[in-house]
Amino acid sequence: LNQVANLTLVTSTCDMVSTAYASTKESHHYIKSVWDAAEKGVKNVTEATASCVQPLLTTLEPHVATASEFATKGLNKLGEKIPLLQKPMEQIISGTKELVSSRVADAKDAVSN
C-alpha cells in the first residue's frame, strides 16, 4: 500500500481531491456540518476496528509479508509498462486536453476540406 500511495499519479490525485474537499467544506456551511459528522464517525469506527483486528493481523503477518513482496514486484513491472503512473494528475489532464483539442482541430480541418 505504501508503494501505491507513493506513486506520483496517486499522490497528485489525492492532493487534488483533498484540496477540492477542503474548499467545498469551507464554501458550504451545511456540507461542512455533515462532513464533519461523517469524519468523526469514520474516526470512531476506525479506532474501534483497529483494536479488534490487531490480533488477527499479528497472526497473518507472515502471509501479509509474502503478499506484499509479490505485490511490490507486480507494481514495479506495472510502473515499467505504464509510465503514466509516474506523472502527476495535472500533467495527465493537460496532456489529455491537448490531445482532444488536436483531434477536434484535425476533424474540423477534414470537414472543411
Side-chain angles (χ1 to χ4, degrees):
L1 289 176
N2 286 335
Q3 190 174 1
V4 170
N6 288 326
L7 289 171
T8 305
L9 176 61
V10 174
T11 57
S12 67
T13 301
C14 288
D15 289 345
M16 286 178 69
V17 170
S18 178
T19 300
Y21 178 83
S23 174
T24 302
K25 248 178 107 169
E26 292 305 314
S27 300
H28 305 284
H29 176 70
Y30 296 113
I31 291 175
K32 181 180 182 340
S33 300
V34 171
W35 286 356
D36 283 344
E39 288 171 13
K40 287 178 186 173
V42 168
K43 182 180 176 187
N44 291 337
V45 167
T46 301
E47 289 171 355
T49 304
S51 62
C52 296
V53 172
Q54 189 57 47
L56 179 63
L57 290 177
T58 303
T59 303
L60 294 176
E61 192 170 350
H63 305 292
V64 170
T66 302
S68 179
E69 195 176 314
F70 284 118
T72 298
K73 289 177 184 175
L75 282 169
N76 288 339
K77 287 182 182 179
L78 194 61
E80 292 169 8
K81 293 183 184 220
I82 307 175
L84 195 68
L85 295 173
Q86 302 304 326
K87 293 184 179 181
M89 179 56 78
E90 296 86 359
Q91 187 178 356
I92 294 169
I93 291 171
S94 174
T96 302
K97 286 179 181 178
E98 289 174 17
L99 178 64
V100 169
S101 295
S102 171
R103 299 293 184 207
V104 168
D106 291 347
K108 284 181 181 178
D109 289 344
V111 170
S112 295
N113 292 334

